[in-house]
Amino acid sequence: MKITLKIWRQANKDAVGGMKTYQLDDVSEDMSFLEMLDVLNEHLTLANEEPVAFDYDCREGICGMCGVVINGAPHGRYNSPIPTTTCQLHMRCFKDGDVIEIEPWKTGSFPVVKDLVVDRSAFDRIIQAGGFISVNTGSAPEAHSVPAPKRQADRAFDVATCIGCGACVAACPNGSGMLFTSAKITHLANLPQGQPERRLRVKAMVAAHDENGFGGCQNVGECASVCPKLIPLESIGQLNRDLFASLLRGDGKAIAGS
């Protein structure tokens, strides 16, 4: 296939960025999207030009490091039949002669480091605020020593699959990180181990979310539609219920499981 690429190039976080156009004439439909970028970088290197910087790690749809906006959609969501990470998007989803625009996650909370690479450490700071349990676990307990009702265990597992890629933020008109934050809160809110700090956790993590410049959630739903792990929008409802209860009741006993 022959394709035209329009890629955001930015030398560093302080530089002024812009779109630059490249042509590729040797793209196989069996390539993954990142393999196509590898081919482009090979051409640029041979031409003594600076390769395009982009994030990746597993290339197996597990880590989410590869996230970019493709033709206006995080991870190229609208070019794929199902939500997926960029590394699992294949060139067969495009046609010969297509023009493909590639941009980084453009939001104030994820500043551009270089080209398509952004700094997502704001997510780390939200986790540091409360995405954990303060329990001295010691040695590994027996598998069934702390039973959890199946419904709640299933809900916890559904949201625990969040990989923190940031597609939800990139898709949100307000740049909100509420789907990510709610996934981490809902995960622990549905497990017995998460109950002692449940109210403190939700207040601390929501405060960290706001302090790191993420916008407010208006339940538009774009976040859930582009999530490669299909985190349900209802997790934000769980966050709101826990936050409302914590503000009403104040610090004290843990909230009963819902």
Side-chain angles (χ1 to χ4, degrees):
M1 294 192 300
K2 294 183 179 182
I3 59 172
T4 299
L5 299 173
K6 294 185 176 181
I7 302 179
W8 182 265
R9 302 303 307 264
Q10 185 170 334
N12 55 61
K13 64 179 182 179
D14 299 318
V16 176
M19 302 295 280
K20 190 167 182 180
T21 302
Y22 303 96
Q23 302 287 336
L24 276 183
D25 299 332
D26 51 354
V27 177
S28 167
E29 64 177 16
D30 295 323
M31 289 179 178
S32 71
F33 198 85
L34 295 191
E35 287 172 334
M36 179 273 295
L37 290 180
D38 288 338
V39 170
L40 171 65
N41 280 344
E42 288 176 5
H43 290 321
L44 292 177
T45 301
L46 291 173
N48 292 320
E49 295 184 41
E50 184 74 15
V52 176
F54 62 94
D55 262 333
Y56 67 90
D57 189 3
C58 70
R59 297 201 179 206
E60 294 180 348
I62 296 172
C63 69
M65 287 290 293
C66 56
V68 292
V69 175
I70 303 168
N71 290 341
H75 292 304
R77 167 68 179 87
Y78 303 122
N79 289 94
S80 176
I82 59 173
T84 184
T85 53
T86 300
C87 65
Q88 295 298 292
L89 180 68
H90 285 76
M91 296 310 295
R92 67 179 67 97
C93 295
F94 300 90
K95 301 187 297 295
D96 184 36
D98 272 358
V99 176
I100 304 174
E101 296 185 356
I102 311 171
E103 302 171 272
W105 292 162
K106 285 189 174 180
T107 173
S109 301
F110 295 157
V112 174
V113 176
K114 182 177 181 180
D115 295 340
L116 304 177
V117 179
V118 298
D119 180 358
R120 285 176 286 189
S121 59
F123 272 0
D124 297 330
R125 291 189 286 274
I126 293 175
I127 293 295
Q128 290 166 0
F132 53 84
I133 55 173
S134 300
V135 177
N136 185 5
T137 57
S139 59
E142 291 294 326
H144 300 296
S145 62
V146 186
K150 185 177 187 308
R151 178 174 176 272
Q152 288 176 239
D154 287 345
R155 290 180 66 192
F157 181 82
D158 286 344
V159 293
T161 58
C162 170
I163 55 178
C165 67
C168 52
V169 181
C172 178
N174 291 339
S176 173
M178 275 299 174
L179 191 68
F180 167 83
T181 306
S182 67
K184 304 308 178 182
I185 288 172
T186 301
H187 171 205
L188 295 176
N190 280 281
L191 294 177
Q193 297 90 336
Q195 300 312 307
E197 298 166 299
R198 185 168 175 178
R199 281 187 288 174
L200 294 175
R201 177 183 300 112
V202 66
K203 287 194 288 188
M205 293 184 74
V206 170
H209 171 279
D210 296 344
E211 289 167 3
N212 280 278
F214 294 99
C217 174
Q218 293 182 321
N219 291 317
V220 175
E222 282 296 305
C223 54
S225 71
V226 300
C227 177
K229 296 303 177 181
L230 303 176
I231 303 301
L233 194 63
E234 65 184 40
S235 66
I236 297 178
Q238 176 77 65
L239 178 151
N240 288 334
R241 288 193 295 273
D242 276 16
L243 181 61
F244 185 64
S246 71
L247 294 174
L248 278 182
R249 303 180 192 183
D251 296 335
K253 293 183 179 179
I255 299 171
S258 60

